[in-house]
Amino acid sequence: MFRIRQITSTKLPIDQKLVAQVVQMLKDRLPGIPERELEGIPGKLENPLEYDMHPMLFVADGANGKLLGFALVSHAFKEKFCLLDYLASEVAGGGGVGASLYSHVREVAKLLKVQGVYFECLPDDPALCSLPEYAKNNAARLRFYERFGARPIVGTKYELPLKPEGLDAPHLVFDPLDSIEPLRRSKLKTVVSTILSKKYGTVCSPEYIATVVDSIKDDPVQIREPRYTKASTLPPPKLPRTADKLITLVVNDRHLIHHVKERGYVEAPARVDAILKGIEPTGLFHKVEPRTFPEEILYTVHDRSFVQYFKSVCAKMEPGESLYPYVFPVRNPSRPPKDGEYAAGYYCIDTFTPINRNAFLAAKRAVDCTMTATHSILSGQRFAYSLVRPPGHHAEHRYFGGFCYFCNAAFAAHELAKIGRVAILDVDYHHGNGQQDIFYDREDVLTVSIHADPRIAYPFFTGFEEEVGHGSGTGFNVNIVLPEKADGKRYKPALVKALARIKEHKPDFLIVSLGLDVAKGDPTGSWSLGAADIEENGRLIGALGLPTLIVQEGGYKTVSLGKNARSFFMGLAG
């Protein structure tokens, strides 16, 4: 399976590699392209708005990061058309890669609301080719595009050679993108003038451009009759399923070992099953097995003494036994209690998050899953979902609590921040105090949390709007507080405000701490968002267009949990 995606930056190592492969493929296939044009491709991708025709690069790559094909497109935004500069595939016979790439270009062009896609294709008439055998290959290309409804424009001098004796002059091919509106003369004149002056201005003289433009007489413009298909319109080619349409899914395969059976403990294994039953039928997900990361990774986010204490005390617990913190000293960091039972309160912020034999193992595996999903994002995947329990957003640098032991999203943010700017959006009903604490002094990771008023909701002592960060992190922590009662109508403006602040940060990556306890009837919350509201939240978040990692946090009403998870991801992917 392969995926198709747009490369807009070369910050990711995999994208640097792919752009280099694109340049090499162009050198091999079209050795006449000036070296400066090839060398300028990375810079154009980073700053497309600096060019009259915005460059867009779409790549198809396999699981090993090898380039399978690409499409380089220029968007003439003022003139409202797209020019397909190059489309190439490494796969013999296409293997569906070429068709999928072109189909993707058409989808993007429709979203851009352009009038059509134009491109050049060499002639399929042997008399117009320098070698007659070229006509066969050119005919195959025109046959390929004709299946999509793209055919050459006729009745103009676009094929006029630059030199009188020249051959192999290309057709200008027009794809109306399934529109039945005729191509008007005035529109084509603008398109041809733009292509010849902005793409070929160094080789086409003003006199040549004027000759070609003035040759456009027909209104509407003539399009060549289908030559390789029986009908002018055909159903689109059947395309292979591609990974870019899927969300990487990493599930904690060891979460069942952490099962606290005490009455009222809502963070139960059934949560994961309920979510899977809701999302798997959508066909949106591609499941990946979690990798195991070295234990040292825990110290990148959490205090070493806390991690070591937590691991050691869990190992001493008997099967089925739970230890609940019950002594909470005014903490003296230099003199922690020696007795494990008393020390639980030293490292915890509440009385209802237990330590048991498997808590460390399950929490470490949740970190493994989240890091696996993070590396999927680093490999260029648009969306990844870490479906884990125990959750993590209440775990601070030195303390656990709120059913959370390790701050899963923080590990992802710390890793992604090595490459670029990161934003964490916490949409759980409760304040994401863990992320706030860990990144409170940092400006490279923006933390935004939308949550219920801490005066009435856990964790009670953090999450107020005046908590804005410290030192270089001042202004990079945002708390948006909502009242005890809130529905979708009340929630949406808060989300819009959060997304506006995230846009200001200009992140390269987004992490969403997904709490489904915002839904109506959740036993830990008091809001009343419905499935339609949660789907709209997903849609607004997805519209940011960022590489996005979703990490599961709260959500405890198992009857509706699957439906709400499905709604969120349908909105996100839509």
Side-chain angles (χ1 to χ4, degrees), residues 254-276:
R254 300 176 191 168
H255 78 94
L256 285 169
I257 64 175
H258 179 59
H259 189 183
V260 181
K261 298 181 180 181
E262 278 88 346
R263 184 179 180 86
Y265 195 85
V266 295
E267 207 289 283
R271 299 176 61 235
V272 171
D273 293 338
I275 291 174
L276 286 174

Side-chain angles (χ1 to χ4, degrees), residues 462-482:
T462 64
F464 298 98
E465 291 179 345
E466 61 267 24
E467 297 164 8
V468 295
H470 177 265
S472 62
T474 301
F476 293 93
N477 187 79
V478 179
N479 290 319
I480 301 175
V481 179
L482 294 181

Side-chain angles (χ1 to χ4, degrees), residues 24-246:
Q24 188 59 51
M25 190 184 294
L26 283 170
K27 286 181 178 180
D28 295 341
R29 301 281 181 88
L30 299 167
I33 299 177
E35 189 71 25
R36 64 180 180 278
E37 181 177 336
L38 295 172
E39 292 176 352
I41 289 177
K44 287 184 176 181
L45 298 178
E46 296 279 359
N47 304 289
L49 299 182
E50 293 184 4
Y51 301 88
D52 291 333
M53 297 178 71
H54 299 171
M56 299 183 293
L57 176 62
F58 303 98
V59 297
D61 64 335
N64 58 357
K66 177 179 170 56
L67 181 71
L68 302 178
F70 72 91
L72 190 59
V73 181
S74 296
H75 174 212
F77 65 99
K78 292 180 182 178
E79 296 82 4
K80 296 184 178 179
F81 73 91
C82 283
L83 176 67
L84 177 62
D85 296 294
Y86 307 105
L87 188 149
S89 170
E90 279 281 20
V91 183
V97 173
S100 295
L101 275 166
Y102 187 64
S103 178
H104 191 87
V105 169
R106 297 181 86 245
E107 289 178 17
V108 171
K110 289 177 182 179
L111 290 172
L112 293 172
K113 300 186 185 306
V114 298
Q115 175 260 357
V117 173
Y118 296 80
F119 52 92
E120 294 181 338
C121 202
L122 295 174
D124 50 355
D125 183 347
L128 299 177
C129 299
S130 55
L131 292 175
E133 56 266 30
Y134 288 173
K136 183 177 180 181
N137 292 331
N138 298 341
R141 294 188 185 94
L142 286 166
R143 183 185 300 112
F144 168 84
Y145 290 113
E146 193 171 295
R147 295 170 62 202
F148 291 91
R151 290 176 279 133
I153 294 169
V154 296
T156 77
K157 291 185 178 180
Y158 195 90
E159 297 87 354
L160 180 69
L162 289 172
K163 297 179 180 179
E165 71 279 6
L167 290 171
D168 301 311
H171 294 299
L172 181 62
V173 182
F174 172 59
D175 184 341
L177 301 174
D178 305 322
S179 172
I180 60 173
E181 293 294 321
L183 176 58
R184 311 309 305 196
R185 176 178 57 198
S186 59
K187 177 66 178 181
L188 183 60
K189 283 191 172 188
T190 300
V191 170
V192 169
S193 177
T194 301
I195 293 173
L196 295 182
S197 61
K198 294 183 178 178
K199 184 174 181 179
Y200 298 114
T202 58
V203 293
C204 291
S205 68
E207 294 76 17
Y208 176 89
I209 295 173
T211 298
V212 176
V213 172
D214 290 344
S215 73
I216 302 171
K217 306 292 187 183
D218 297 321
D219 193 18
V221 176
Q222 296 181 56
I223 307 297
R224 193 173 83 175
E225 289 297 315
R227 184 172 291 183
Y228 304 106
T229 58
K230 293 181 180 180
S232 59
T233 57
L234 290 175
K238 186 176 181 181
L239 302 175
R241 186 176 177 84
T242 57
D244 60 292
K245 304 293 184 184
L246 303 179

Side-chain angles (χ1 to χ4, degrees), residues 257-268 306 309-310 313-314 317-318 320-326 328 340-341 344-345 347-363 389-391 400-406 458:
I257 64 175
H258 179 59
H259 189 183
V260 181
K261 298 181 180 181
E262 278 88 346
R263 184 179 180 86
Y265 195 85
V266 295
E267 207 289 283
F306 156 59
Y309 163 77
F310 179 48
V313 75
C314 286
M317 301 294 294
E318 294 295 327
E321 179 187 10
S322 291
L323 168 63
Y324 287 88
Y326 64 95
F328 296 88
E341 293 189 8
Y347 291 110
C348 191
I349 61 174
D350 58 48
T351 61
F352 58 82
T353 304
I355 291 174
N356 55 43
R357 187 172 185 84
N358 292 321
F360 176 86
L361 298 175
R389 55 172 299 274
F400 69 96
F403 310 141
C404 304
Y405 303 97
F406 297 137
Y458 187 89

Side-chain angles (χ1 to χ4, degrees), residues 3 5 12 14 61 243 246-250 286 288 291 293 369-385 415-416 509 547-549:
R3 62 184 174 183
R5 58 193 178 85
L12 290 179
I14 189 171
D61 64 335
L246 303 179
I247 300 168
T248 298
L249 171 64
V250 189
H286 170 57
V288 173
R291 294 164 47 190
F293 287 78
C369 293
T370 303
M371 290 303 295
T372 301
T374 301
H375 280 265
S376 177
I377 295 293
L378 287 171
S379 74
Q381 194 70 12
R382 170 75 186 280
F383 296 121
Y385 177 31
E415 185 73 9
L416 293 172
F509 307 100
T548 303
L549 169 67

